[in-house]
Amino acid sequence: MTLPHVNTIADGTAVQTPGKKIFPYIQKNLTIIITVEDAELVGAFLDMVENHKLIVETPSATVAALKHLDLKG
């Protein structure tokens, strides 16, 4: 599938078509993909700066995605 356009602040992950090598790997090995909105990326970035004094890349998708999981402890 190819998207007509991609509009996100996560420019490092903004692709219109999945790569021919990585897409089969994803199909075979991943059981879940978590998507996050740009507002969540901004929130995760601000959280890391304000509360943890860390500068992370703008596409801090991992931090934003973790908030979607039901993690304890």
Side-chain angles (χ1 to χ4, degrees):
M1 172 181 221
T2 297
L3 300 174
H5 70 283
V6 179
N7 184 17
T8 178
I9 63 169
D11 58 348
T13 58
V15 295
Q16 289 179 277
T17 305
K20 288 184 170 115
K21 291 184 180 181
I22 194 68
F23 188 66
Y25 177 84
I26 290 170
Q27 285 181 306
K28 181 180 176 185
N29 294 293
L30 293 182
T31 57
I32 185 173
I33 294 176
I34 299 170
T35 59
V36 295
E37 301 290 329
D38 279 357
E40 294 174 282
L41 295 174
V42 171
F45 177 80
L46 292 174
D47 175 50
M48 295 303 289
V49 170
E50 294 172 352
N51 299 317
H52 305 286
K53 309 303 183 228
L54 295 171
I55 302 294
V56 294
E57 282 190 35
T58 303
S60 45
T62 303
V63 175
L66 286 172
K67 295 181 180 192
H68 287 264
L69 300 176
D70 187 26
L71 301 174
K72 303 285 188 241

